[in-house]
Amino acid sequence: MSPQALGTPQCTQTAPVIPGMLQIEEYARATSLAFSPHITGERLDRAVEARLQRQELLESDHRPEFFFIIDEAAIHRWTGGPGVMKSQLLHLKEVATRPGISIQIVPFSVGAHVGLQGSFVLLEFDGEMDDILYLEKTSGDSVFSDDTEATSRYLETFWALEAQAPREDLPHLIDRAIEGMNGVPEARPSAEVSVEA
């Protein structure tokens, strides 16, 4: 079904890591290795390529509006090493300036918040199609639901997080995270651990 047939959707997402739609290749590879260390070689390449291909939607003439909310811990974690993370954060900062894309960060100062329960994606449609909720469990299993009560509950969750993550704070928070990586040696792998006998 084409995007035109679905109406004009809105995609809202919360995540404890940088969302896949916003990941650079090196970050995507590091997170894939961390979440599924048994995947290597061609399987890993295909998984990363599939994630990057989905990002083409960001450039589509019929793309939805995107609203991302990320926990601040995600921008301070050196996924892939400080060099990869700096590139990822600069990419995040650039994408946030594009029309139709909103990226917000829930700062540490908020403390514990409802978004720490896990990530979710909510597709809202302005046509006759029901909204769709997508949940990804830590086990890797995915759950889809168009239950009105569930989608409404998660939309309220998103609104609560949105109120705790001022849009204007994003450049400052990213710059502060990058400053914390300056002068750090590059050899700090995050996805592979070597154990010496």
Side-chain angles (χ1 to χ4, degrees):
M1 185 177 292
S2 68
Q4 298 94 316
L6 295 177
T8 304
Q10 288 189 137
C11 177
T12 61
Q13 178 172 3
T14 66
V17 297
I18 306 299
M21 290 289 288
L22 303 174
Q23 293 177 5
I24 62 173
E25 181 177 353
E26 297 85 356
Y27 186 99
R29 186 172 297 275
T31 54
S32 294
L33 279 171
F35 297 160
S36 303
H38 60 283
I39 297 179
T40 57
E42 292 185 2
R43 290 183 62 194
L44 175 61
D45 291 341
R46 287 196 298 270
V48 172
E49 182 179 357
R51 189 176 300 180
L52 297 178
Q53 285 180 343
R54 288 194 290 271
Q55 296 179 9
E56 294 176 2
L57 185 58
L58 295 174
E59 309 295 335
S60 170
D61 292 337
H62 303 288
R63 69 176 181 271
E65 288 186 276
F66 286 95
F67 299 86
F68 299 97
I69 296 183
I70 306 167
D71 186 74
E72 187 177 356
I75 67 171
H76 288 279
R77 186 173 295 111
W78 297 350
T79 302
V84 169
M85 200 59 203
K86 286 180 188 178
S87 297
Q88 175 62 70
L89 294 179
L90 291 173
H91 175 70
L92 198 68
K93 196 173 179 181
E94 184 276 321
V95 174
T97 66
R98 301 180 190 178
I101 300 177
S102 171
I103 302 174
Q104 297 167 254
I105 296 175
V106 181
F108 286 143
S109 59
V110 168
H113 57 80
V114 67
L116 296 177
Q117 297 181 93
S119 62
F120 66 87
V121 178
L122 184 61
L123 290 171
E124 301 176 77
F125 298 95
D126 62 6
E128 298 180 357
M129 186 172 180
D130 292 334
D131 295 344
I132 298 175
L133 174 68
Y134 168 75
L135 301 173
E136 186 170 353
K137 300 181 180 179
T138 54
S139 62
D141 297 329
S142 301
V143 177
F144 291 87
S145 175
D146 59 1
D147 177 73
T148 302
E149 182 177 345
T151 55
S152 296
R153 184 170 66 251
Y154 275 89
L155 183 58
E156 290 177 359
T157 296
F158 185 86
W159 287 340
L161 290 170
E162 190 175 43
Q164 295 175 310
R167 285 185 176 88
E168 61 272 15
D169 287 357
L170 182 134
H172 167 70
L173 291 173
I174 288 180
D175 289 344
R176 186 170 65 185
I178 291 175
E179 288 174 5
M181 300 174 198
N182 289 335
V184 176
E186 185 54 38
R188 294 183 65 96
S190 62
E192 299 181 73
V193 178
S194 61
V195 179
E196 298 182 2

